[in-house]
Amino acid sequence: MKIILKNVRLLNPEQKLNQNSDLLIVDGVITRIGTVAAGEAKDARVFELNNKYVVPGLFDMHVHLREPGREDEETVVTGCNSASAGGFTGLACMPNTSPAIDSAEIVSFIKEKARNHLVDVYPVGAVTMGRKGEALSPMAELSEAGVVAFSDDGCAVKNAKMLRLAFEYASMYRLPIIEHCEDESLEGGAMNEGVTSTFLGLPPMPSIAEDLVVMRDIMMAEYTGGKIHIAHISTKNSVEILRQAKKRGVNVTSEVTPHHFSLTEEALKTYDTNTKMNPPLRTRQDVEAILEGLKDGTIDAIASDHAPHSIEEKEMEFIYAPNGIVGLETELGLALSELLSKKILNMEELVEKMAINPRKILNIPVPKFAEGEIANLTIIDPEVVWTVDVKAFKSRSKNSPFDKRLLTGKALGVINRGKMFFDDKFFAI
Amino acid sequence: MPLSSRHLLGLQGVPREDIQLILDTAVTFREVLERPIKKVPTLQGKTVVNLFFENSTRTRISFELAQKRLSADTVNFSASTSSTKKGETFKDTVKNIEAMKVDMIVVRHASAGVPQFLTRISDAHVINAGDGAHEHPTQALLDMYSIREKFGRLEGLKVCIVGDISHSRVALSNIFGLRAMGAEVSLCGPATMIPREIEKLGVKVIYNIDQAIRENDVLNVLRIQLERQAGGLFPSLREYHNYFGITSERLEKNGKDIVILHPGPINRGVEISSEVADGPYQIILDQVTNGVAVRMAVLYLLGTLNKADGR
Ligand SMILES: [Zn+2]
């Protein structure tokens, strides 16, 4: 099958590519870049795109797919549908499933579920068995089964000794450790510590709980020569610690979630449990430091920490409600509204943080625009204004603090693995 | 003039006029409590549910008595929810009670924010009887009533709240209420029990109990939850008593007339010595009586609001 994307702005910073063009895609493969001749266009389906961006397919490196274990909240397939609708063609899924991703069987199980989907799914293996922090997972076996990183996400690797062993062992396979940085002895609160937590009477989560572990992990990575990726960075001090570490040449990267650059702890004043997350929403100063970190490259990637939860679980008393929000379908809209529109990042930088850097961190090839390459791309309209409606989410869960929010910019569609998602529909191309 | 809100969720942001109105109304009900027949027909035909997800016999009895003296129909509902317990969710419980057509809900819960949550899923007037470490507005109102009864005013008085401020809903409501009424508020307790950035609420922090006694007209002494010691927030009950406990020697040493409040129940020999708890400075039992009058005032003012009044 032939399709033509007519009049697109083809952008791939990795190839230093930024040009107006048409794209002819035959059976999922790019066969012409430039002007597509009338003859070639015969019996092709044509999409007139009026100068919309076409960029390498976006990649979210921090997604909770919930399968196996909580299929009532999300499955591999519904999560991938959600990713497609949000403009993503690839994702890495976190191992805090039930059972955890700590065996080759679970890795294969997830890959099998995703086999026919447009979205590439890369499992992240657990650092320790059952994420308990007591014994290393079979990292060699997991690596062979295809995991792209290790993480005990949900919590940090329990102690310094385990972390050291993990860095040493994982370095044999050149795989990074992704860390959820939170000191165990300081955990257990429900929101950021400060005057607002006092006002609201909610148990506090101090920012130092994150900073201490960011510091520990960076120093351990430096000591062992391991590769560390800091997940969902949220505090001003952590950004600064990271900036200094990068200056020293430590092998460290980091990601931030859209909620941590677009909301502050003020959002909790309604006690809406959709504002409860871990790390918690922080202060205006923290958000400003994060924006600065995105701008100067201290923060490499944007990732959703997509965390679906059932309505019954989220409609609970605040201290009992689980942490996290669904993120895949608002992520690009928030990045375009809060970063591109507000001139924090330009389009090239945004594509680097949402398509290129996540893949580089995980050693996954970055899609190229060249004749003969598989078409793996996202079509973006950075100007369209739309209203978030959780009821329209493809995700099985609806827990989002962004419902009814007006956003500027979204994905119009995605193409990957011979499939296209456009106009709310999947079809083979 | 009616209250400006159709709920009493806390004292944060409540205008001075509302607090004044509640305290003045309570004076009338306080007189009713001295009559041989302590009952008025004000809330006849209204139904009030006391929805207690946390055990608090004293607060519940005080509310229940206030409701009965106003001739309201009262139902008590004790339940427990948690993150792990299977069974009926909080929302289902409330929806069920709501279906029974109740006019007011008095709620006590271990999670901050539950009264706000309740206003979103129910049409009843909501009175917060304590939510987590957030607010306990009727306790603060009865504290203010008792102080005002003693001094004839609140404006310009210096009040120090002593104890575990971090885990106290009484402290926060008192801070908001007293400051709205023009009193000066300070806090005294071990640094491990004083929340970070609390000064931003416009209060002073004192770590020396003698200084707190010297500088203030009123001490509101909070109950020390014994499990806090297990959490390591202070070294021992003995050390707490020696450095923050209110004793008669301490009061004499600082040679000062002072009024002492305690929301109860008292840990004798921990935050307060028996001598002080039974002595001339305390007004602890007045607080209990005033509590009924203040709760009658709140129930009356909310229960008789017209539909159009308040937001
Ligand atoms: Zn995490």
Side-chain angles (χ1 to χ4, degrees):
Chain A
M1 171 146 185
K2 266 186 189 179
I3 65 160
I4 295 172
L5 306 184
K6 197 115 187 76
N7 293 318
V8 301
R9 181 141 173 217
L10 203 55
L11 181 80
N12 185 347
E14 191 60 5
Q15 295 172 274
K16 308 245 179 310
L17 189 70
N18 185 355
Q19 66 179 61
N20 291 317
S21 171
D22 301 334
L23 271 186
L24 172 66
I25 298 165
V26 180
D27 297 332
V29 176
I30 300 173
T31 45
R32 171 79 69 248
I33 296 175
T35 309
V36 178
E40 282 178 311
K42 209 157 63 81
D43 45 79
R45 182 168 173 191
V46 180
F47 296 83
E48 174 53 60
L49 289 173
N50 298 318
N51 253 325
K52 300 296 183 285
Y53 283 98
V54 166
V55 306
L58 303 183
F59 191 100
D60 190 325
M61 65 183 298
H62 196 133
V63 174
H64 298 275
L65 288 179
R66 300 286 186 237
E67 191 175 2
R70 286 304 302 268
E71 291 81 356
D72 61 314
E73 296 181 331
E74 197 81 287
T75 64
V76 172
V77 169
T78 60
C80 287
N81 292 345
S82 180
S84 314
F88 296 87
T89 64
L91 60 85
C93 59
M94 287 293 150
N96 62 337
T97 45
S98 177
I101 308 179
D102 58 9
S103 70
E105 287 75 33
I106 304 290
V107 177
S108 311
F109 169 84
I110 292 168
K111 290 184 125 187
E112 182 54 33
K113 293 275 176 188
R115 193 160 59 100
N116 294 316
H117 209 282
L118 177 157
V119 174
D120 303 317
V121 172
Y122 298 90
V124 172
V127 173
T128 61
M129 288 307 293
R131 301 170 40 255
K132 291 201 183 86
E134 289 154 10
L136 283 186
S137 68
M139 287 184 168
E141 180 190 303
L142 288 168
S143 151
E144 200 174 39
V147 304
V148 288
F150 297 104
S151 179
D152 276 354
D153 185 44
C155 47
V157 176
K158 206 161 228 130
N159 59 53
K161 180 183 172 189
M162 238 27 252
L163 184 68
R164 174 190 181 155
L165 297 175
F167 272 128
E168 289 172 346
Y169 207 91
S171 68
M172 295 192 289
Y173 308 98
R174 299 183 48 242
L175 295 182
I177 307 279
I178 300 176
E179 270 278 79
H180 166 122
C181 296
E182 183 181 16
D183 183 272
E184 201 189 357
S185 69
L186 290 169
E187 70 181 30
M191 73 169 292
N192 183 50
E193 179 173 66
V195 71
T196 309
S197 64
T198 298
F199 260 114
L200 297 179
L202 287 170
M205 303 164 87
S207 56
I208 188 89
E210 175 169 324
D211 305 337
L212 286 172
V213 177
V214 169
M215 183 71 101
R216 176 196 80 165
D217 287 2
I218 284 174
M219 296 190 78
M220 190 63 86
E222 206 168 4
Y223 186 74
T224 58
K227 185 173 168 186
I228 174 80
H229 176 78
I230 308 291
H232 41 58
I233 194 166
S234 73
T235 74
K236 183 176 180 220
N237 285 347
S238 290
V239 174
E240 187 51 32
I241 294 166
L242 194 68
R243 183 176 287 126
Q244 296 309 323
K246 283 192 159 188
K247 270 188 199 153
R248 292 200 302 279
V250 183
N251 203 348
V252 58
T253 53
S254 71
E255 74 194 25
V256 66
T257 72
H259 43 277
H260 286 114
F261 64 65
S262 48
L263 293 175
T264 68
E265 59 180 9
E266 298 289 308
L268 277 87
K269 287 194 165 161
T270 57
Y271 293 98
D272 177 359
T273 56
N274 285 323
T275 61
K276 185 180 178 190
M277 22 241 176
N278 184 9
L281 297 175
R282 306 279 188 190
T283 66
R284 175 53 44 199
Q285 292 92 286
D286 293 304
V287 171
E288 272 158 21
I290 282 166
L291 295 177
E292 198 51 47
L294 278 164
K295 220 182 217 172
D296 71 9
T298 302
I299 299 172
D300 305 84
I302 293 165
S304 63
D305 195 4
H306 182 80
H309 286 293
S310 68
I311 290 174
E312 307 83 72
E313 279 187 348
K314 267 295 194 186
E315 273 187 345
M316 239 193 299
E317 298 94 316
F318 201 93
I319 61 169
Y320 301 144
N323 291 307
I325 65 169
V326 292
L328 284 162
E329 291 169 71
T330 47
E331 183 171 359
L332 178 62
L334 287 163
L336 292 166
S337 307
E338 297 297 319
L339 306 176
L340 184 77
S341 299
K342 296 185 178 168
K343 299 200 171 18
I344 306 292
L345 299 180
N346 61 34
M347 196 64 182
E348 279 85 354
E349 292 164 330
L350 193 124
V351 169
E352 279 169 359
K353 292 187 202 292
M354 296 188 74
I356 296 170
N357 295 347
R359 287 188 176 90
K360 284 187 168 172
I361 292 165
L362 302 173
N363 306 309
I364 296 166
V366 178
K368 272 202 202 74
F369 296 136
E371 290 167 6
E373 291 283 334
I374 302 261
N376 179 345
L377 57 86
T378 302
I379 307 162
I380 297 176
D381 181 345
E383 275 154 17
V384 61
V385 175
W386 60 290
T387 307
V388 178
D389 175 10
V390 295
K391 291 198 284 303
F393 280 178
K394 302 283 177 216
S395 169
R396 188 163 275 183
S397 294
K398 314 293 171 198
N399 49 306
S400 169
F402 297 111
D403 194 27
K404 307 284 178 293
R405 182 151 165 157
L406 211 60
L407 295 178
T408 305
K410 70 191 297 193
L412 298 183
V414 287
I415 293 176
N416 189 27
R417 302 171 80 176
K419 295 181 182 66
M420 184 169 191
F421 180 83
F422 197 87
D423 251 354
D424 215 31
K425 283 184 289 288
F426 286 98
F427 44 90
I429 54 166
Chain B
M1 215 188 64
L3 287 178
S4 63
S5 167
R6 59 186 303 270
H7 307 291
L8 181 66
L9 306 180
L11 293 186
Q12 186 197 341
V14 172
R16 187 183 178 125
E17 298 71 44
D18 279 11
I19 295 176
Q20 193 81 46
L21 177 62
I22 294 169
L23 298 182
D24 292 346
T25 309
V27 174
T28 316
F29 288 120
R30 184 73 181 74
E31 285 157 17
V32 171
L33 295 179
E34 298 300 329
R35 293 182 197 161
I37 294 168
K38 302 173 178 61
K39 203 162 172 153
V40 288
T42 326
L43 289 187
Q44 214 152 43
K46 301 269 183 191
T47 309
V48 190
V49 175
N50 297 314
L51 189 54
F52 277 57
F53 288 86
E54 214 182 40
N55 225 339
S56 174
T57 315
R58 284 159 174 260
T59 305
R60 210 205 61 225
I61 287 176
S62 178
F63 266 110
E64 211 182 322
L65 212 52
Q67 291 149 8
K68 293 204 160 125
R69 300 219 146 134
L70 292 168
S71 309
D73 295 320
T74 296
V75 185
N76 289 320
F77 188 99
S78 301
S80 67
T81 57
S82 73
S83 53
T84 48
K85 223 171 276 173
K86 289 283 164 211
E88 198 175 47
T89 63
F90 174 76
K91 192 177 172 185
D92 286 336
T93 304
V94 172
K95 283 284 168 201
N96 259 289
I97 287 167
E98 169 95 308
M100 298 172 199
K101 307 290 170 212
V102 303
D103 300 293
M104 279 193 262
I105 299 177
V106 176
V107 65
R108 157 73 66 109
H109 199 290
S111 176
V114 159
Q116 277 82 348
F117 184 26
L118 210 47
T119 63
R120 287 202 288 268
I121 53 178
S122 161
D123 288 328
H125 298 282
V126 176
I127 299 172
N128 181 3
D131 63 328
H134 184 219
E135 289 223 41
H136 190 359
T138 57
Q139 177 70 46
L141 286 164
L142 77 87
D143 291 346
M144 287 192 278
Y145 182 97
S146 306
I147 297 169
R148 194 177 77 160
E149 191 178 53
K150 195 83 187 166
F151 289 87
R153 66 188 166 100
L154 288 167
E155 180 95 46
L157 285 181
K158 293 180 162 196
V159 181
C160 182
I161 307 168
V162 184
D164 182 0
I165 310 300
S166 293
H167 299 91
S168 174
R169 42 192 166 222
V170 178
L172 207 58
S173 290
N174 262 289
I175 292 170
F176 295 135
L178 285 165
R179 283 181 40 80
M181 299 310 287
E184 259 179 65
V185 183
S186 57
L187 308 172
C188 181
T192 47
M193 292 174 153
I194 308 278
R196 278 169 75 82
E197 304 185 13
I198 190 84
E199 295 85 354
K200 289 187 182 166
L201 267 52
V203 296
K204 177 178 164 184
V205 179
I206 305 167
Y207 295 111
N208 181 306
I209 192 69
D210 293 310
Q211 184 191 346
I213 293 168
R214 283 194 305 273
E215 289 181 358
N216 285 282
D217 305 306
V218 179
L219 297 184
N220 194 345
V221 183
L222 303 178
R223 175 183 165 78
I224 286 294
Q225 306 278 329
L226 302 180
E227 68 266 21
R228 301 294 172 215
Q229 189 210 339
L233 294 188
F234 59 93
S236 69
L237 292 177
R238 181 172 165 272
E239 175 146 317
Y240 186 88
H241 184 67
N242 288 346
Y243 290 87
F244 293 96
I246 310 299
T247 60
S248 38
E249 300 85 71
R250 226 177 210 129
L251 294 177
E252 276 155 31
K253 181 174 94 181
N254 293 293
K256 182 118 190 286
D257 250 1
I258 200 155
V259 170
I260 291 174
L261 286 82
H262 192 300
I266 299 169
N267 289 312
R268 287 171 186 264
V270 183
E271 69 267 4
I272 193 166
S273 71
S274 270
E275 250 183 312
V276 177
D278 304 324
Y281 299 116
Q282 56 82 23
I283 53 168
I284 298 171
L285 291 177
D286 297 339
Q287 284 176 273
V288 177
T289 316
N290 294 338
V292 178
V294 163
R295 289 179 175 121
M296 285 171 82
V298 170
L299 288 159
Y300 162 77
L301 289 167
L302 289 177
T304 53
L305 272 183
N306 291 320
K307 277 261 180 281
D309 294 333
R311 277 298 104 205

